[in-house]
Each structure stands twice: as C-alpha cells, then as structure tokens.
C-alpha cells in the first residue's frame, strides 16, 4: 500500500487535482485547434484552394492571331504569314551569358541587337518569353536547329506575323501595325488585357480603328510550376480565337492602278460609288511599305521615309488640305442657280481680268473668254464669270450649298483619326475665328476655290459623287457591313425623297434623324430643283467632251467609258504682276510654288456610277497633270464594273 | 520460468507482458506508420534519403522502447539525476565543441549519431523533477531551499539552450519543467510572481533577442508584412492546410509540398503536409490519436503506486501535449514560428530518441505500476 501519513494523502490530492485542471485545459486547447482546422479547411477552403492554385499554376499567353483584311473580291490585303522566331525563357536557361554568346555567333547578331536583347531581358520577368529574333531567315533557323542540343533554353518557334502582300498600295487605307507601346496599353484596355511581349497592334488607319475586332484572343498554355517557377507539366492548352476578318469595299486592281498613275509624285486619288458610297480606291502618294514596320524599322529606312519632302507618312486623301481651285465651280454654279441669283442664260464678258473693289482679279486666260454664259463658263472654267456670279451670290449662300454637298466636313465619322475637316468660309466663321469682317473681294476668290477654302481630296470625291447621283446624300463607307442596301433600294429611296415636298433639310435636323433612326438611311435630296443639278452635270460633260472644254484632251468618246469632269488648278501662292507677265511654264517654277493639279469626274456619263477625284501636288494645271490620269483610271473602273456587280449580288444574298 | 533481472524481483516476464499497455503501443505504432508515409510523401513519392533514415530510426527506437519498457521503474528512479547530469554535460559540450548548422550550435558528434542534447533535456528535466519531488513532503515542497534548487535545475539547461541559440526548444524545456513543478505542488503564487518578473524584464529580453527572432515574432502578428520573406512559411503553410479541405488532396498529391512551396516539410511542417494531403478528416484522426496517447499516459500515471511514476507520467503526458499543440498552433498560424518538432511525426533522430525513452518510462510505469519505490 501507499506509504501512510496525512501528508502523503495531501500530496496525492494536490497532484490529482492539478492534473485534472490540466486535463480540462488540454481539452479546451485541443478544441481550439480543431476549430482552427475547421475554419481553415472547411470555412475558408475555397480561398486557400484558389491561393494554392495561384501558387501552382502559371499561364503563358501566346500572341493572338490578328484578323485579316480582304478587298471586295476576297483577296487578302493584310494577312498573316509564317515566320521563324527564336524564343528564350530565361528561367529555363542554366547559363544565360553562355547561351547568348553562342546565339550571337550562330545568328550573327550585331552588337547593338545583342545589348538590346540583354536590356529587354532585364525589364521582363524571368518566366516571360524573351524574343531573341522575330524573323529568322531559313538559313538561321536551320542553323539554330542544328545546334539546338547545345542551346538549352532556346526555342525555335514557328509563329505568324502580319504581312501586307500589296506592300505600299494599301498603306494609307489600312495603316500599319508595330509593337505595342506603353501608350497603346494605356489607351486601349483590350490591348492591355491581351498584351504579351512582341504583340503587334495597329498604329494608324483601319488597323488602329478596328483594333478591337482584329486583335483576337490569346492562346493560353497553363503549366504547373514549382516554388522556383520551373515548369513541371502542361495542364491544358486553350486555343485562342483569331481576330475578326474585315472585308473592305476597295478593289485592288484599281488601287494598284492609282499607285502606278501617281508613281512617285505627291498626290491622291479616290474613287467612290456614287450610290452606295463605297470607296473603290483611295490612294495617297508617295506611299511606303508597311512591312518595314513589323520588326522595328531600321534607322535608314525611317530616315528615307521621314526626310522625303513629299511626306509619305501623311494620308493626303483624308488629311491633306488643299484649295480646291476650279473643282468647286460646279457647286458655286449650283448654289447660284438654286438661290435664283442667275439663270443659265446670264452672260458675262470676260476680258481676262476684272476690276472690283479697287483690285484686279485675273481670269486664268489672259486674253479672256469673251461673252460667256454659265455653261460655257463651267466648260472653259472662266474665272471672270465666277467672280461676277459669286459677287451676286455671296459667301454665306455658297457656304450652305458647299457644306450640304460634303465640303468642310469629315467624310468618315470615325474611321481615320487623322482625317481633317477642311474649311468652307462664311462671314460668321471669319468674325469668330479671324475677328475681322468679311471683305467682298474674298467672296470672289472663294468662288474660284481659292482663299480660305480648304478641302481634302476625298471631300471633293464625295461632292462629285453626290452631284453625279442627281443630288442625293450618300453614305461613304469602306467596310462591307451588314447594313448595306441594294442599288435598287437606294435608287428607289432617292426617287421617294425626290417626291417629298419638304424643303432641303438643314444638316442639324438630318444628323438628329440619323441618331434616332440609325438603321434606316435617308438618301435626302440636296437640291431645290433637280434641273439645276442636271444643268451642272451637263456643263461638266461639256467641259470634258466638247471642243474648248478644259479637259477635252482627256475625253473618251466610247460611250461605255465616256465621262464628265471638272479640272482645277489651285494656286499655292499669290501670283505677282511680274510673274504673270513672264508667263512661265510649270517646269520653270520652283517645285513648291507650282500649282496643285485637280480633276474631279464621274462616269460613265449615260448612267453614272462612279465618281473620282485626282490631285497631283504641285503638278501644274489640272487639265495637263490630273485629267489624263482620270482618263486611264475610269477605263479600269468601268472594266471592273461587271465583276463588282456580281460580287455585290452575292454579298446581298449572303446577308 | 525465466529468471528475472535483479531490478524486478517481484515480477515474472509473463506478468510483465500481461500488463504491457497495448493502447499506448498501438497509438505509437499508428503514429509511426503515419509519420513514415508522410516522410515518403515529402520525398515526392519515392523511397529516398529522408524516408529511409526515418524508417530506420523509427524501427530502431521503437524496438528499443519495447525492450526498455521491461526495465524496472526503480532503475529510472535511481539514474534520474545521473541522466540529467549527463544530458546537461552534453549541453555544455555542445555549447563548447558542438556542431554548428544554420547559425545554431546544437549538436554533439557521437560518431554513430549527431545528438541534439536539448531534445533529450525535454525528458530528463521531467525525470529529474519526478525524482526530486518523489520523497518530498507536501509541506516542504514550497520551502525556500526547494524553490531555489528546482529553479536552478530548470534554468541551467534553459539558458544553455537559449545560448545555442534555440529559443523554441528552450521554451519547450521551460514549459515542461514548469508544468512538472506545478503538478508537484509548488504554490501558484510563485508562478504568478515569476511571470510578473518575466513581463517586467520582457523589454530587456527582447533587446537580447537576435534580429531574426524579433522578425519572427513581428511576422506572426502580421504575416503579410513580408510575404516572400519571413511571412512566407506561415502563409504557405496556411495555404497548404486550407487548400486540403475536408478530404484532402490525396496521398502524394499535396501540390504545396510536392512543388516545394512548403518549407521544412520534413521537420516542423510535417503536419502541414499531412493535413494538405489528408484534409480535415485526416487531421482530426491524427489529433485523436495524439489525444488518446496523451490521456493514456495520464491514465497510466494515475494507476501508478509510486509518486515518481505518477509525476513522470503526468509531466511527460503534459509535455507531449505541449509539443503537439505548440507545433500545430505554429503551422496553423496561431503561434509564432519557433523550431518545435511534432513528436514521432517529425524527422529528427534526437527528438525520436527522447520521445521513445519517455514512452518506455511510461510503459515501465504501467508494467511496474504496483512497484513501490522507497
């Protein structure tokens, strides 16, 4: 038995009591630990599972495949081509320096490129793909593959990159792509979300405008990685979606001809369907090869482009502003007729110059045109007649008509960020912007398309188209959309609009209607009396097809191609008296002081369908420099017409 | 029958075998199996170094425990002071000529094993106190001489271990000692006084802490302070346990440990790995095993006729409880990270050895429960 004694009993009582207390405490602590386990593993399980997956899984996104551009006939004009690339994932490389030196020798990298890559590596995370070269030649590619067993971490990759098969032909229509800059990432959320090193995004033109449609979605490779970021195994591969294909209304044949016609001269040609508003061709010259920008343009190439005095980077068709010269005369004449200022029989004697408000205003023809009526004035482009007519018309009435036909406004609402509005002056405009009152003399020179008035080549093309279709508003477009209407429907709508008694609507009301009825297009009439429009068109016909017309030498007599047009010769400086007496030929004048040559036309005359505008910067006279180009162009356009109509029918069926 | 050794004259071997505690035995065996399987998992599902050596150690020490169980309790009573003195000598040896690893001088090289004497001290302090208070009258427990002497017995090894430095083990030794002292009947007021003294001296103690120790305490209060540095272990451990869910990710499928996100998964964080793979259900199972083990030890103590056996069992059971809860609280983010292995589960020879010796004394108490020690 236990040793006796009261002390011993007390000793045992103490320890038993205390161990009981301790056991209760243990139970409480164990319960606490179970509660903690429960809260972590049951209540917050989802949270920790996500965190664990975040630890364990890492995604590698591949650049998305960009959508293509097609012309009206289905030719790819901006596509994707296979390229051989060399990628390195730094964390998978054992000895980065060694690898880089080997690659430098194998690929013959320049020192500059070499340091560039090293610099790029430092800016990236170690698991991000480092692109050593984006465009290896076949030779380099096979050489890398040959030495691959010695180059751990290097990965030759077959990738796709943008390609522009028609090179400089579509540069200004499409714009170009290049590596996304930090600014691109800030401005476009979509680019930011899809960005991977080496991603190309649109930098200008339609490539930029339609970025969100074109960009596509990334392919995603999901890997399990260990704590040091090393890939352990691929969990899944999620194929990305290719960007949307965008079909344009342009015709590559015509586009190419435009490029040939202008060759290296500065200028612009645009061609438009006068009913559907489709852009058939739109070229700004000189152009450049957008493929140069894909892998970072070389300094020499960049210098050649930027230092070219003819400014190849500027899209002259939509953002070049020029005085329209005599090409505005049809609108001035129409405005005078519509406002009942004169009748077509109104006659003016042209002596080669006219004295008004203490100044001498010259006609382009020093000897004068003699007594001319309106038809002759348009045909021979008599300035004196237009001085007198616009004096009576006044600049504000001219402003209304010109604006109605599309001058002084952007042709596309938001396709080209660089597009300019141009300017049709009015007394109000001058007061607000220059601060002084309108001078009557300024009306005279506005009437011959000089002075403040500035237009883009595309605006003049739209103006001509809206005259040629009988004076109806059309909607210029360059993409083939779902909402396109058949030619019959458009013509029917125009007839309907002709029957309406309402006056010509102001542009504000028209815009409001477009907002409220976005689907339904109104081909509003832009005249009070269609006879006036017909008269102007007939005069333009005379200008090209009757002896004495300014573009008579460029006429085509075959009715299939026969067209009507109006020349323009826009002065870029004031001609002094002395120079006028010298009567210099174009070649004698310094390039920058030569006149801009204009020609606007529509055809075929019997049943017009296409309108065009030609500008040759500093080309001299419109009849000599611009009209002959139009002659060749119109032939091509008409020849292509039949095929285009076939496609149109097919497109309508599809929609 | 078989002639017994001189230590257990009253018992035949058959009697001893009859009173062998099979519940304790099974608990230890289950823990051993779980720990070996977990070790196999830390090696990525391969039979590699950690698994092999852990298995060998478990086999040797488990067998050793069974044999030591049959040694009479008197032997442990007799050698308790000697045992304490030897371990203390080892501690001094370690602090003079010990092997340094990861900035801490904890090990002594015994040629066949690198021994960590601080682990053995966790047992020998209990053994020493059990012997010390065995013959003491309850009335004299709280006299001045006893208080001072027991303080000295406790503080010497604690200071030696702190200086290694190994704060975690020192704290655990301290707690084990204090628990035994309290069980022995030391008046509560002394504990209150000394804890007050500790709180007062806390600023001074903190100023003595090594920068990394301070960092650990700060990190405990806010692990997100430095998620890739000091807080990394706690955060990754919580992620591993939390992501285990109800049923766990499955044996050998713990991604946190398999992909190396989990630090020190062999030693201090072995429970994290187990909990990730076996989930809430597995963790509760393991906890129950530990609970059964601890309460079985207490139970064995309560049937012991000798005060020595009783105090040792109560003390050792409570110490095991403290080791288990401190380790689990640590990996669950309830306590700061201090190095403290999970008994039997964690990799480490000295810890295994100490635990097995302790368990063999418990078993011996059971076998010799009727033994009266004078």
């Amino acid at each position: 038995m236990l040793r006796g004694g009261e002390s011993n009993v007390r000793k045992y009582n103490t320890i038993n009591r205390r161990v009981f207390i301790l056991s209760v405490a243990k139970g409480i602590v164990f319960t606490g630990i179970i509660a903690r386990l429960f809260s972590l593993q049951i209540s917050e399980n989802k949270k920790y599972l996500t965190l664990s997956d975040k630890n364990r899984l890492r995604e590698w996104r591949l650049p998305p495949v960009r959508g293509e551009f097609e012309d009206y006939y289905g030719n790819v004009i901006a596509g994707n081509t296979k390229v051989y690339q060399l990628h390195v994932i730094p964390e998978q490389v054992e000895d980065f320096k060694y690898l880089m030196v080997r690659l430098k020798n194998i690929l013959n990298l320049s020192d500059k490129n070499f340091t560039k890559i090293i610099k790029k590596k430092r800016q990236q995370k170690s698991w991000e793909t480092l692109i050593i070269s984006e465009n290896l030649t076949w030779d380099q590619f096979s050489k890398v593959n040959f030495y691959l067993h010695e180059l751990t971490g290097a990965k030759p990759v077959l990738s796709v990159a943008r390609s522009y098969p028609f090179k400089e032909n579509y540069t200004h229509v499409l714009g170009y792509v290049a590596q996304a800059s930090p600014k691109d990432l800030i401005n476009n959320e979509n680019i930011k979300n899809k960005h991977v090193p080496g991603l190309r995004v649109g930098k200008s033109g339609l490539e930029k405008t339609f970025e969100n449609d074109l960009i596509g979605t990334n392919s995603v490779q999901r890997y399990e990685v260990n704590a040091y970021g090393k890939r352990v195994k691929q969990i899944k591969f999620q194929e990305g979606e290719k960007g949307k294909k965008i079909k344009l209304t342009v015709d590559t044949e015509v586009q190419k001809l435009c490029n040939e016609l202008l060759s290296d001269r500065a200028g612009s040609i645009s061609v438009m369907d006068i009913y559907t508003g489709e852009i058939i061709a739109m070229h700004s010259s000189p152009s450049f090869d957008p493929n140069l920008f894909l892998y970072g343009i070389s300094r020499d190439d960049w210098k050649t482009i930027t230092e070219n005095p003819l400014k190849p980077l500027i899209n002259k068709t939509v953002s070049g502003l020029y005085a329209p010269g005599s090409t505005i005369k049809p609108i001035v004449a129409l405005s005078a007729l519509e406002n009942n200022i004169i009748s077509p029989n109104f006659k003016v004697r042209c002596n080669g110059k006219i004295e008004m408000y203490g100044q001498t205003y010259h006609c382009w023809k020093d000897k004068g045109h003699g007594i001319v009526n309106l038809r002759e004035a348009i045909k021979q482009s008599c300035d004196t007649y237009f001085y007198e007519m616009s004096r009576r018309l006044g600049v504000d009435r001219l402003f209304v008509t010109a604006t109605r036909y599309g001058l002084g406004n952007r042709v596309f609402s938001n396709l080209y960020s660089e597009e300019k509005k141009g300017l049709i002056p009015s007394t109000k405009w001058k007061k607000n912007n220059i601060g002084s009152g309108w001078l009557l003399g300024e009306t005279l020179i506005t009437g011959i398309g000089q002075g403040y008035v500035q237009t883009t080549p595309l605006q003049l093309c739209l103006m001509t188209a809206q005259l040629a279709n009988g004076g109806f508003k059309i909607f210029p477009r360059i993409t083939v959309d779902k909402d396109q209407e058949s030619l019959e429907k458009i013509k029917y709508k125009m007839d309907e609009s002709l029957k309406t008694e309402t006056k010509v609507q102001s542009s504000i009301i028209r815009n409001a209607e477009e907002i409220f009825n976005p689907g339904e297009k109104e081909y509003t009439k832009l005249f009070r009396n269609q006879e006036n429009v017909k008269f102007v068109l007939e005069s333009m016909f005379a200008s090209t097809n009757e002896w004495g017309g300014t573009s008579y030498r460029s006429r085509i007599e075959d009715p299939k191609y026969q067209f009507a047009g109006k020349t323009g010769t826009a002065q870029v400086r004031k001609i002094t008296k002395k120079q006028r007496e010298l009567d210099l030929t174009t070649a004698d004048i310094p390039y920058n002081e030569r006149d801009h040559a204009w020609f606007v036309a529509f055809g075929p005359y019997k049943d017009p369908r296409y309108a065009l505008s030609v500008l040759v910067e500093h080309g001299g006279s419109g009849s000599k420099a611009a009209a002959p180009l139009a002659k060749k162009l119109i032939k091509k356009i008409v020849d292509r017409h039949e095929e285009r109509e076939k496609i149109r029918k097919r497109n309508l069926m599809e929609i | 029958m078989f002639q017994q050794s001189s230590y257990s004259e009253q018992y035949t071997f058959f009697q001893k075998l009859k009173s062998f505690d099979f519940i304790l035995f099974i608990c230890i065996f289950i823990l051993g199996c779980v720990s070996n399987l977990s070790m196999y998992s830390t090696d990525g599902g391969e039979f590699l170094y950690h698994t092999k050596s852990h298995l060998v150690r478990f086999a040797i020490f488990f067998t050793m425990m069974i044999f030591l169980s049959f040694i009479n309790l008197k032997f442990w009573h007799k050698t308790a002071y000697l045992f304490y003195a030897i371990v203390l000598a080892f501690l001094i040896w370690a602090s003079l000529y010990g092997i340094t690893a990861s900035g801490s001088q904890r090990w002594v090289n015994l040629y066949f094993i690198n021994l960590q004497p601080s682990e053995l001290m966790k047992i020998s302090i209990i053994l020493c106190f059990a012997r010390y208070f065995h013959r003491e009258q309850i009335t004299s427990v709280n006299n001045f001489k006893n208080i001072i002497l027991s303080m000295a017995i406790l503080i010497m090894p604690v200071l030696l271990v702190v200086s290694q430095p190994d704060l975690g083990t020192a704290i655990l030794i301290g707690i084990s000692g204090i628990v035994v002292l309290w069980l022995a009947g030391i008046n509560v007021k002394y504990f209150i006084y000394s804890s007050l003294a500790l709180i007062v001296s806390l600023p001074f103690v903190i100023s003595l802490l090594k920068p990394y120790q301070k960092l650990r305490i700060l990190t405990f209060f806010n692990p997100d302070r430095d998620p890739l540095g000091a807080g990394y272990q706690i955060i990754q451990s919580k992620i591993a346990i939390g992501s285990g869910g109800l049923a766990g990710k499955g044996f050998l499928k713990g991604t946190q440990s398999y992909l190396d996100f989990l630090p020190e998964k062999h030693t201090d964080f072995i429970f994290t790995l187990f909990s990730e793979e076996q989930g809430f259900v597995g963790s509760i199972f393991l906890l129950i095993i530990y609970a059964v083990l601890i309460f079985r030890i207490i139970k064995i103590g309560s049937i012991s006729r000798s005060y020595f056996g009783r105090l040792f069992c109560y003390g050792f059971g409570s110490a095991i409880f403290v080791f288990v809860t401190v380790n689990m609280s640590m990996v669950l983010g309830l306590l700061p990270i201090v190095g403290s292995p999970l008994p039997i589960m964690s990799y480490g020879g000295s810890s295994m050895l100490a635990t097995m010796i302790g368990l063999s004394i418990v078993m011996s108490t059971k076998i010799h429960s009727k033994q009266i020690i004078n």
Side-chain angles (χ1 to χ4, degrees):
Chain A
M1 280 308 297
L2 295 177
R3 285 193 300 158
E6 197 197 332
S7 158
N8 233 339
V9 174
R10 266 184 64 205
K11 193 174 170 186
Y12 275 84
N13 282 346
T14 306
I15 193 167
N16 287 340
R17 190 176 66 243
R18 290 196 174 182
V19 91
F20 176 75
I21 295 170
L22 207 56
S23 298
V24 172
K26 282 174 191 169
I28 292 167
V29 172
F30 260 15
T31 314
I33 284 181
I34 290 169
R36 177 67 168 182
L37 271 171
F38 185 87
S39 105
L40 286 181
Q41 297 196 298
I42 309 292
S43 312
E44 292 186 283
N45 175 241
K46 265 209 180 113
K47 171 185 155 193
Y48 286 109
L49 213 52
T50 318
L51 284 172
S52 155
D53 279 347
K54 228 166 119 189
N55 264 348
R56 156 177 100 90
L57 302 174
R58 202 161 288 159
E59 290 183 344
W60 273 268
R61 292 186 305 169
L62 307 176
V65 179
R66 205 169 169 77
E68 289 165 345
F69 279 109
E70 277 184 0
D71 76 352
Y72 203 69
Y73 302 87
N75 303 311
V76 173
I77 55 175
N80 296 299
T81 165
K82 277 179 191 164
V83 287
Y84 303 109
Q85 300 189 329
L86 185 65
H87 295 181
V88 164
I89 295 167
E91 68 178 15
Q92 297 182 344
V93 182
E94 274 161 35
D95 187 348
F96 190 76
K97 251 189 196 149
Y98 168 79
L99 177 70
M100 283 310 295
V101 172
R102 283 301 306 271
L103 285 177
K104 191 184 170 207
N105 289 332
I106 293 169
L107 301 178
N108 260 329
L109 291 175
S110 65
D111 284 336
K112 224 171 70 192
N113 264 333
F114 185 74
T115 43
K116 223 168 149 187
I117 292 167
I118 302 285
K119 215 172 127 193
K120 218 163 72 183
K121 188 213 164 197
R122 267 187 235 127
Q123 291 162 351
Q124 290 183 185
K125 298 206 170 77
S126 68
W127 63 79
E128 279 180 340
T129 308
L130 178 67
I131 298 167
I132 303 292
S133 169
E134 293 181 301
N135 195 12
L136 293 172
T137 61
W138 173 248
D139 269 1
Q140 288 173 316
F141 189 68
S142 43
K143 226 168 150 187
V144 168
N145 277 302
F146 183 73
Y147 290 111
L148 201 58
H149 61 283
E150 298 168 33
L151 306 169
T152 24
K155 234 171 61 181
V157 175
L158 189 63
S159 181
V160 288
R162 200 54 151 179
S163 76
Y164 299 99
F166 296 102
K167 293 183 174 170
E168 77 277 10
N169 278 298
Y170 278 114
T171 308
H172 292 110
V173 174
L174 298 175
Y176 62 92
V177 297
Q179 276 217 30
S181 67
K183 220 173 128 192
D184 293 325
L185 299 187
I186 294 165
N187 291 338
N188 190 332
E189 190 77 9
N190 208 358
I191 295 177
K192 197 177 147 194
N193 293 339
K194 289 167 180 171
H195 185 254
V196 288
L199 179 72
R200 300 296 188 280
V201 298
K203 291 289 183 175
S204 71
L206 299 181
E207 288 273 27
K208 189 176 181 188
T209 310
F210 292 113
E211 183 64 53
N212 291 342
D213 293 325
L214 291 166
I215 193 166
T217 52
N218 304 81
S219 294
V220 179
Q221 287 175 307
R222 189 170 292 159
Y223 282 93
E224 192 170 74
V225 296
N226 66 13
Y228 317 106
K230 199 174 165 69
R231 298 180 193 191
V232 178
K233 64 175 182 219
Q234 182 168 328
I235 303 283
K236 86 178 199 195
F237 181 78
Q238 184 185 321
E239 186 97 42
E241 237 173 85
K242 190 176 171 178
K244 244 163 75 183
K245 184 172 80 185
I246 293 179
K247 200 175 170 107
L248 301 186
T249 60
V250 291
D251 181 343
T252 304
E253 292 291 311
V254 181
Q255 183 79 17
K256 267 155 75 177
L257 180 66
C258 294
N259 185 27
E260 277 165 34
L261 289 173
L262 287 169
S263 60
D264 285 334
R265 282 181 290 177
S268 158
I269 296 180
S270 358
V271 183
M272 193 186 280
D273 186 313
I274 63 171
Y275 291 106
T276 62
E278 288 165 0
I279 303 289
I280 312 295
M282 199 170 93
H283 185 66
S284 170
S285 180
S287 185
F288 57 90
D289 185 354
N291 293 311
L292 293 175
F293 283 85
L294 284 181
Y295 310 109
I297 190 164
S298 76
R299 188 175 290 210
D300 287 344
D301 286 338
W302 179 243
K303 221 170 147 186
T304 320
I305 290 172
T306 48
E307 289 183 359
N308 186 339
L310 304 183
K311 301 203 164 72
L313 282 173
I314 291 174
N315 185 355
K316 300 182 176 75
T317 317
V318 296
S319 60
L321 291 178
Y322 308 89
S326 303
T327 53
I328 205 179
K329 279 176 182 167
I331 285 294
V332 181
L334 180 67
S335 184
L337 291 171
E338 287 275 286
N339 288 295
N340 286 325
I341 305 297
I342 56 158
S343 80
N345 293 324
F346 176 75
K347 290 186 179 66
V348 170
R349 172 186 289 275
C350 168
N351 293 324
K353 58 185 173 187
I354 184 171
E355 300 264 346
M356 257 184 246
Y357 316 114
Q359 268 212 319
T360 310
Y361 294 91
H362 291 269
C363 181
W364 65 271
K365 197 171 180 182
D366 292 339
K367 283 177 278 181
H369 291 95
I371 295 174
V372 284
N373 60 13
L374 181 54
R375 189 172 183 274
E376 282 299 311
I378 294 174
K379 173 181 154 188
Q380 298 186 39
S381 200
C382 176
D383 292 337
T384 313
Y385 190 97
F386 275 85
Y387 292 144
E388 178 58 22
M389 189 169 63
S390 38
R391 186 180 68 82
R392 295 176 178 218
L393 174 64
V395 70
D396 286 337
R397 278 184 282 213
L398 173 60
F399 170 81
V400 172
T401 314
T403 312
R404 188 178 295 156
Y405 279 84
L407 302 183
N409 268 315
R410 288 166 67 133
V411 174
F412 297 117
S413 48
N414 46 19
L415 283 184
Y416 293 94
S417 56
E418 71 266 32
E419 188 176 357
K420 294 224 167 75
K421 271 179 81 165
L423 174 68
I424 299 298
S426 64
T427 51
K428 204 174 144 195
W429 167 83
K430 194 179 175 194
K431 194 146 206 158
N432 289 343
N433 290 278
I434 297 184
S436 55
W438 185 262
L439 302 175
L440 283 172
E442 289 167 348
T443 308
L444 304 197
I445 56 167
T446 306
I448 61 161
Q450 298 283 161
Y452 296 120
V453 52
Q454 285 199 306
T455 60
T456 67
L458 193 62
Q459 281 171 11
L460 286 179
C461 184
L462 175 64
M463 174 198 87
T464 313
Q466 292 188 140
L467 283 171
N469 65 22
F472 297 95
K473 179 181 169 60
I474 57 167
F475 303 89
R477 59 163 88 211
I478 198 161
T479 53
V480 177
D481 296 321
K482 291 232 183 302
D483 65 341
Q484 70 169 354
E485 290 168 313
S486 71
L487 190 66
E488 290 72 28
K489 193 171 176 192
I490 293 170
K491 279 186 172 169
Y492 173 78
K493 277 188 172 178
M494 284 179 176
D495 281 346
E496 285 294 300
S497 124
L498 189 58
K499 283 177 207 150
T500 54
E501 288 298 313
T502 47
K503 282 194 294 178
V504 178
Q505 289 167 299
S506 81
S507 62
I508 297 164
I509 295 171
R510 236 174 27 230
N511 284 342
E513 274 185 5
E514 273 167 33
I515 293 164
F516 290 122
N517 303 311
E520 208 45 34
K521 282 186 177 138
E522 291 277 348
Y523 296 86
T524 337
K525 60 178 181 181
L526 305 171
F527 50 80
R528 219 161 42 81
N529 181 356
Q530 201 178 22
E531 289 308 310
N532 295 331
V533 177
K534 285 181 176 157
F535 177 83
V536 169
L537 296 179
E538 208 272 325
S539 308
M540 285 171 79
F541 176 77
S543 171
T544 305
N545 296 289
E546 283 177 18
W547 189 85
T550 48
S551 49
Y552 181 65
R553 267 172 302 176
S554 301
R555 75 194 178 279
I556 305 174
E557 277 164 3
D558 182 348
K560 190 182 169 194
Y561 303 111
Q562 198 171 40
F563 65 96
K566 179 73 199 80
T567 56
T569 308
Q571 284 170 220
V572 293
R573 76 203 188 300
K574 206 168 174 147
I575 303 173
T576 61
K577 201 170 181 182
K578 208 173 148 194
Q579 282 167 327
R580 200 171 287 280
E581 278 161 7
L582 280 172
D583 194 21
L584 298 167
T585 58
T586 305
D588 299 330
I589 306 168
Y591 178 81
N592 275 329
E593 294 184 5
R594 290 177 203 165
D595 299 332
H596 293 319
W598 277 110
F599 191 65
V600 297
F602 61 92
Y605 184 69
K606 273 196 174 161
D607 183 12
R609 190 59 200 278
Y610 300 102
L612 59 90
S613 74
V614 177
L615 162 75
V616 181
E617 261 186 31
H618 304 296
S621 86
S623 61
K624 280 185 196 143
L629 304 186
K631 179 182 175 178
K632 290 178 190 163
L633 190 59
I634 209 118
K635 258 195 150 143
K636 186 80 178 180
I637 298 166
V638 173
D639 283 339
R640 302 280 294 164
H641 176 71
E642 217 167 295
E643 204 178 329
R644 191 175 178 89
E645 286 307 294
K646 267 190 224 158
I647 305 268
R648 179 188 313 287
K649 286 205 180 93
R650 211 172 62 203
N651 280 350
L652 278 170
M653 300 258 284
E654 278 170 18
I655 292 163
Chain B
M1 271 206 77
F2 184 76
Q3 189 56 49
Q4 295 303 311
S5 72
S6 61
Y7 291 111
S8 53
E9 292 146 347
Q10 301 100 318
Y11 296 90
T12 61
F13 178 73
F14 181 73
Q15 279 175 312
K16 283 189 178 184
L17 200 61
K18 231 177 108 183
S19 50
F20 188 80
D21 197 80
F22 286 98
I23 295 179
L24 194 66
F25 177 84
I26 287 167
C27 284
I28 298 165
F29 187 72
I30 290 173
L31 287 175
C33 292
V34 170
S35 94
N36 276 300
L37 288 172
S38 300
M39 214 52 73
Y40 182 66
S41 179
T42 66
D43 275 344
E46 282 171 80
F47 201 64
L48 296 181
Y49 176 76
H50 286 105
T51 321
K52 277 183 205 162
S53 78
H54 191 72
L55 186 63
V56 168
R57 280 173 190 167
F58 178 72
I60 292 173
F61 294 143
F62 190 51
T63 318
M64 181 201 78
M65 184 218 94
I66 294 167
F67 279 109
L68 289 183
S69 303
F70 297 101
I71 292 175
N72 196 304
L73 196 59
K74 273 184 178 168
F75 169 80
W76 294 112
H77 180 260
K78 266 188 190 154
T79 54
Y81 289 152
L82 181 67
F83 191 63
Y84 174 80
I86 291 171
V87 175
L88 196 64
F90 272 138
L91 272 179
I92 294 164
W93 186 9
S95 68
L96 294 177
Y97 312 109
I99 299 164
T100 307
S102 51
S104 178
Q105 198 171 355
R106 297 180 189 174
W107 291 271
V108 290
N109 186 357
L110 296 183
Y111 301 104
F112 62 95
I113 186 175
N114 279 339
L115 190 74
Q116 191 184 340
S118 54
E119 286 293 336
L120 287 176
M121 186 48 88
K122 287 176 181 172
I123 305 303
S124 57
I125 192 89
I126 301 169
L127 202 59
C128 179
F129 280 142
R131 162 87 195 259
Y132 188 86
F133 290 104
H134 174 65
R135 216 100 57 93
E136 215 56 59
Q137 296 294 312
I138 189 69
T139 42
S140 61
V141 160
N142 280 306
N143 70 23
F144 185 70
K145 186 200 102 193
N146 282 335
I147 298 279
I148 291 300
L149 251 174
S150 50
M151 286 283 271
I153 289 171
L154 182 58
I155 281 175
M156 270 192 300
V158 168
L159 285 181
L160 279 169
V161 177
V162 165
S163 71
Q164 282 178 347
D166 184 357
L167 190 64
T169 312
I171 288 172
L172 291 178
I173 293 169
I175 292 174
S176 317
I178 288 168
V179 168
V180 181
L181 288 177
W182 182 66
L183 287 171
I186 300 268
N187 201 317
V188 177
K189 69 180 179 197
Y190 295 113
F191 296 103
I192 293 171
Y193 293 159
S194 41
S195 45
L196 279 177
L198 190 71
I199 289 167
V200 170
S201 65
L202 208 56
F204 177 70
V205 173
I206 285 174
S207 73
L208 286 179
L209 286 178
K210 297 267 187 290
Y212 82 92
Q213 290 168 331
K214 281 187 204 168
L215 197 64
R216 277 181 181 181
I217 292 165
L218 283 176
T219 305
F220 165 70
F221 289 112
N222 183 12
D224 298 325
R225 217 175 69 104
D226 183 10
L228 290 177
Y232 183 79
Q233 294 181 328
I234 295 180
I235 289 171
Q236 293 303 335
S237 174
K238 273 163 74 180
I239 290 174
I241 293 170
S243 63
L246 181 71
K249 293 179 181 170
F251 184 55
L252 302 183
K253 284 177 187 155
T255 53
Q256 283 285 106
S257 50
Y258 174 58
L259 298 169
D260 285 339
F261 289 100
L262 206 58
E264 313 207 15
K265 54 188 175 188
H266 301 103
T267 54
D268 292 357
F269 288 88
I270 190 80
F271 177 70
T272 309
L273 171 130
F274 176 81
S275 189
E276 185 190 14
E277 293 190 345
Q278 309 305 331
F280 184 66
V281 174
S283 309
I284 295 295
F285 169 76
L286 194 68
L287 219 52
I288 288 172
I289 298 292
Y290 273 116
V292 171
L293 180 80
I294 289 161
F295 284 91
R296 191 67 198 163
I297 293 170
I298 303 291
K299 172 88 180 133
I300 289 169
S302 72
I303 60 169
S304 170
R305 286 205 180 170
S306 67
Y307 190 81
F308 169 75
R310 184 174 291 231
L311 186 53
F312 179 81
C313 288
Y314 288 173
F316 183 67
S318 305
I320 293 284
F321 166 80
V322 170
F323 302 157
V324 169
T325 48
V326 166
N327 178 277
M328 285 191 181
S329 308
M330 187 179 89
V331 301
L332 286 167
L334 296 169
L335 283 179
I337 304 286
V338 289
S340 79
L342 188 61
I344 303 177
M345 285 285 285
S346 285
Y347 182 80
S350 306
S351 161
M352 177 84 85
L353 176 66
T355 312
M356 288 302 183
I357 290 174
L359 287 168
S360 69
I361 299 172
V362 172
M363 196 63 102
S364 168
T365 311
K366 172 78 198 308
I367 292 171
H368 308 96
S369 60
K370 294 193 176 72
Q371 177 82 51
I372 295 165
I373 300 167
N374 289 307

